[in-house]
Amino acid sequence: MSDEPNITNSRNSLTNWHELRESSLAAMTATERERYDAAAVEADVAMDLAQLVYDARIKAGLSQAELASQVGANQATISQIEEGGGVNTTLATLTRIARATGQALQVNVPPAVPR
């Protein structure tokens, strides 16, 4: 038996997932779709924030525990933010993270991009 991944099955699974997603989205009411789209935007923002915090921490040469200590949080909070679970992270916490990593916090709210 080969250890090679089965690319055909992976492609079929991906295609099936896309088809399932599209059919599920098409079956939604306008209100359901609006809620779905809002949740998708929030998830995207959380993942962007996760990457920004991770990159700043690594650039500053800090461990999660060291950063947490400097911002008055615990390591689990920093981990949660870096995993994309920081949807409810406050501006005060983000400001402390920016300061601790030698960065400045800048908030930019550009016009929404249609999905």
Side-chain angles (χ1 to χ4, degrees), residues 8-84:
T8 302
N9 284 341
S10 295
R11 285 186 189 143
N12 287 340
S13 295
L14 188 59
T15 300
N16 291 338
W17 183 88
H18 285 294
E19 290 171 0
L20 177 62
R21 179 180 181 273
E22 290 305 314
S23 66
S24 295
L25 292 174
M28 289 181 182
T29 66
T31 301
E32 289 171 333
R33 182 57 192 257
E34 190 175 304
R35 288 180 185 152
Y36 173 88
D37 289 344
V41 167
E42 288 177 11
D44 288 346
V45 168
M47 293 310 298
D48 289 346
L49 177 61
Q51 191 65 54
L52 288 170
V53 170
Y54 173 81
D55 290 346
R57 179 178 63 77
I58 295 301
K59 183 177 178 182
L62 299 170
S63 69
Q64 287 182 345
E66 290 167 332
L67 178 58
S69 176
Q70 290 187 29
V71 301
N74 57 43
Q75 182 272 331
T77 298
I78 301 302
S79 177
Q80 182 182 27
I81 294 168
E82 289 184 0
E83 289 173 1

